[in-house]
Amino acid sequence: MKVLHRLSRRSLRLTPIVGNTTRYVSTGSQTSIAEPPSSAHYDHLINQAGRDRDFDAVQHLLTKRLRDGCFNTNNTFKFISSDLSVLDNLLKSLAGLNHGFVKKSAHECLINQLSKLHRITEALHVAEIMVRNNYGADACTFHPILIALAKKKHTDEAWRVVQVLRDCGIKPDLTAYNYLLTAHCFAGDLTSAAYVLTKMEEEGMGADTRTYDALVLGACRAGRIDGALMILRRMLDDGVSPLYCTHVHVMNAMLRNGYYAQAVEFVMSYAGKDRGLDSENFGILASRLVKLNRLDEAKLVVKEMSIRGISMGDKLKDFYLLHVAN
């Protein structure tokens, strides 16, 4: 399979505060909280202050939460989702934070929130502020933006973001390329996937589990189940453990193409090596066979689940009792 050979065997083998218990301090009109600090409670206070446009309080809370070992989360700047007009004031507040991890973390948290809202222009603006002011921006800073674009399959925009990284003097990392690769592979675009692999080779990068997973997905989406199986075997030969979802890509492709017996054989061939994988593979396969009304194959799978002591959901238990146990 030509896509696989874009990466040499050599490159394919490459791999990639404890908080104290101090109480909350008064913030403006806020009174002290007589309970241990938590990230969720700090998020609540920050979002409340943000909605009230009290950015001095936002700044104070961002500093205090890190001292208490409460890191920023996906909900820290949730208040901007209902009022993006506060962005400039929020950025001024973040600029006043102490240089270092507090400032870097807050800006990256904001980039993540803007990316979730698919406000790519604004997210890039924040990232460029970090670069321009030496706030510690690196390739990871841009990951949320690439994730958002890859999920929407906006690959042209994602490539432009990669160019922005280069313009900022930041080298895209393996994770950044994996997001691009996954986006192309999800669309079954193996030509573009091959181009990504070429760029990875030029950067001297190898492949990790996510790279292989994307290639398996791409082969399956392009209808090349034989190629997907070849890549999966190559993973194992090179000592790279597949993700559970990598097996599911192959299983789904087989079922989509009507290869029901082959899907059962595929799952059986990996059985007994990983309890979690067995539970995932057998459970998904049995449920989908029942849904497809492939009862003979479904009976074989649930019988094997019973023999191996693999737990079943309520629907599969009922199917087993009705069709196999009696």
Side-chain angles (χ1 to χ4, degrees), residues 3-16 174 196-209 211-212 215 234 238 240:
V3 174
L4 179 63
H5 295 304
R6 291 286 184 178
L7 288 178
S8 65
R9 182 169 289 275
R10 174 192 60 78
S11 62
L12 277 170
R13 285 200 177 109
L14 297 177
T15 57
L174 177 59
V196 178
L197 294 176
T198 299
K199 299 300 288 184
M200 291 168 68
E201 277 261 274
E202 291 173 357
E203 296 283 352
M205 294 177 184
D208 65 3
T209 304
T211 311
Y212 277 111
L215 293 174
R234 177 71 172 270
D238 287 350
V240 180

Side-chain angles (χ1 to χ4, degrees), residues 7-306:
L7 288 178
S8 65
R9 182 169 289 275
R10 174 192 60 78
S11 62
L12 277 170
R13 285 200 177 109
L14 297 177
T15 57
I17 305 178
V18 179
N20 58 37
T21 57
T22 55
R23 307 302 183 188
Y24 293 125
V25 175
S26 172
T27 61
S29 60
Q30 304 281 349
T31 55
S32 298
I33 308 298
E35 61 182 51
S38 71
S39 293
H41 199 81
Y42 268 116
D43 284 345
H44 171 74
L45 292 176
I46 289 170
N47 281 296
Q48 186 177 52
R51 286 190 294 270
D52 292 341
R53 296 175 179 259
D54 185 355
F55 294 103
D56 288 338
V58 169
Q59 185 185 97
H60 173 81
L61 288 163
L62 287 168
T63 300
K64 184 66 170 63
R65 74 182 297 160
L66 266 296
R67 290 176 186 161
D68 285 345
C70 299
F71 297 97
N72 297 320
T73 75
N74 289 334
N75 293 318
T76 298
F77 295 125
K78 198 171 182 180
F79 66 90
I80 70 169
S81 62
S82 57
D83 185 7
L84 205 61
S85 68
V86 302
L87 183 58
D88 286 343
N89 287 328
L90 177 57
L91 284 170
K92 289 176 184 176
S93 176
L94 301 190
L97 293 168
N98 290 334
H99 217 64
F101 182 74
V102 174
K103 183 172 282 187
K104 173 179 166 66
S105 173
H107 280 83
E108 289 184 335
C109 183
L110 178 56
I111 290 169
N112 184 59
Q113 182 64 43
L114 289 166
S115 298
K116 283 171 58 183
L117 296 171
H118 211 71
R119 302 299 299 233
I120 304 304
T121 299
E122 291 85 352
L124 277 173
H125 174 60
V126 178
E128 288 166 345
I129 287 174
M130 291 186 68
V131 173
R132 186 167 61 249
N133 294 288
N134 297 316
Y135 291 168
D138 52 26
C140 295
T141 302
F142 292 80
H143 286 173
I145 303 172
L146 289 170
I147 292 171
L149 291 171
K151 282 183 177 179
K152 295 280 187 178
K153 298 187 282 294
H154 294 170
T155 51
D156 289 343
E157 289 183 62
W159 277 111
R160 284 194 285 273
V161 171
V162 170
Q163 187 56 49
V164 170
L165 264 80
R166 296 188 185 283
D167 293 343
C168 292
I170 299 172
K171 182 180 177 180
D173 60 2
L174 177 59
T175 301
Y177 277 117
N178 278 343
Y179 291 137
L180 285 163
L181 184 64
T182 300
H184 288 303
C185 288
F186 186 82
D189 184 356
L190 298 186
T191 301
S192 295
Y195 176 73
V196 178
L197 294 176
T198 299
K199 299 300 288 184
M200 291 168 68
E201 277 261 274
E202 291 173 357
E203 296 283 352
M205 294 177 184
D208 65 3
T209 304
R210 291 287 178 186
T211 311
Y212 277 111
D213 180 70
L215 293 174
V216 170
L217 173 63
C220 290
R221 300 287 290 191
R224 292 290 307 279
I225 299 175
D226 56 337
L229 290 170
M230 183 182 74
I231 297 168
L232 194 54
R233 285 193 295 271
R234 177 71 172 270
M235 289 183 75
L236 297 172
D237 289 344
D238 287 350
V240 180
S241 298
L243 301 169
Y244 290 174
C245 62
T246 307
H247 290 85
V248 176
H249 298 328
V250 178
M251 188 196 315
N252 284 342
M254 289 179 170
L255 295 177
R256 275 198 307 270
N257 286 276
Y259 302 144
Y260 306 112
Q262 290 88 338
V264 174
E265 183 181 347
F266 170 73
V267 169
M268 290 291 294
S269 69
Y270 287 95
K273 300 171 185 176
D274 182 324
R275 189 73 177 174
L277 179 63
D278 286 351
S279 179
E280 183 90 355
N281 280 354
F282 278 97
I284 291 174
L285 179 59
S287 296
R288 294 194 179 160
L289 287 169
V290 171
K291 203 172 201 178
L292 291 165
N293 205 33
R294 300 294 304 186
L295 302 187
D296 288 341
E297 291 89 350
K299 289 176 190 177
L300 287 174
V301 176
V302 295
K303 183 177 180 180
E304 192 67 26
M305 291 176 74
S306 177

